[in-house]
Amino acid sequence: MYWSASTAATAPLKAATPGQAASTSLDEATQKATNAAGWVQENWGTWVESGLKMLLIVVIAVVLRHVIRRTITKLIERMNRTAAAAEGTALAGLLVNAERRRQRSEAIGSVLRSVASFVIMGTAALTVLSVLQINLAPLLASAGVAGVAIGFGARNLVTDFLSGVFMILEDQYGVGDEIDAGVATGTVIEVGLRVTKLRGPNGAIWYIRNGEVKRIGNLSQGWSTAGVDVVIAADQDLRRAREVITAAGEVMSKSEPWNELLWEPVQVLGLSEVHLDTVTLSVSAKTMPGKAAGVERELRWRIKHALDEAGVHLAPRPAPEEEEEAAPADPTAAIAAPSALNNPSSPQSTATDPLSSPVLGK
């Protein structure tokens, strides 16, 4: 009875539920749309402001990057024009060549442009993220961890790059220089941030990682020394030999193209070695960097002809030493030492005699 009454009472309510639900859903949708419109209207100004800020940041970063890169490029071009203008003048021999200056300036310019781009665009990206109200602390921490991991994984690459940067900035060597890098020796044909290319004396091209170079011997900076040793007979007139060699050096220093390569007069330093039948005169001359080998060859040629014309004889070439005749073989070498058993009266021989057997029946 109670169930029937309650069912009858709730029947009209159930009949009205679909319409009421539709009305409720429409009201909720209207309310949500109104709230969304209000939220958009309230935040519209903030969005526009943030968008304009990000656009302004990007525009400023792009313009600043373009201006700085262009300024660096113009500066490098100006340096190259200055080096090219000096080429062919009397001062060109004292300066580095244009190709060396060009490669060095291009490498420095590339490093500066890359650093400027990284700093400017990285700062702009972080500023944009801060405008979007993104927490940068986890991002910076992750970037730091990733940088440490990459640094450990690619430490050789980082070492090569940093070594190359400092080699270029300090102008330790350049294109055309003859250097001794420890692992290889030759003429520099290309200088890079990671690898330096050398052409060896036999024509081989060596690729040397900058991080592997522990010491550099540059034979093309400042000046070089051409040294020649003249070996003459000990019975020759040393004063005459000195005069002849000095005169040959003076003639060489006044002729083309040696007058530009020789920076000081040829000097006879004196005796460097004295033997029973020969003496050695040391001759030295200061030359243009990297030209010592050619000057030495020409100086030997002229000294030899000058000494021959003056009648000063060089030391004769020592005759090859004759091999010592082998001593005759000892005929007793193959004979064994005498044995103690050869003597019948020796204790060793007596000990080997057989024992006599006793006679039976006595």
Side-chain angles (χ1 to χ4, degrees), residues 100-155:
R100 171 178 174 177
R101 288 285 298 271
R102 186 191 65 81
Q103 288 206 9
R104 179 170 176 261
S105 59
E106 288 294 337
I108 295 175
S110 176
V111 173
L112 293 178
R113 284 191 292 267
S114 300
V115 171
S117 299
F118 177 78
V119 172
I120 294 173
M121 301 310 295
T123 304
L126 294 178
T127 307
V128 169
L129 293 178
S130 64
V131 171
L132 295 176
Q133 297 182 356
I134 296 177
N135 189 8
L136 300 180
L139 180 62
L140 294 178
S142 302
V145 173
V148 172
I150 294 175
F152 277 107
R155 58 184 179 274

Side-chain angles (χ1 to χ4, degrees), residues 1-11:
M1 200 57 193
Y2 175 77
W3 177 82
S4 300
S6 60
T7 302
T10 56

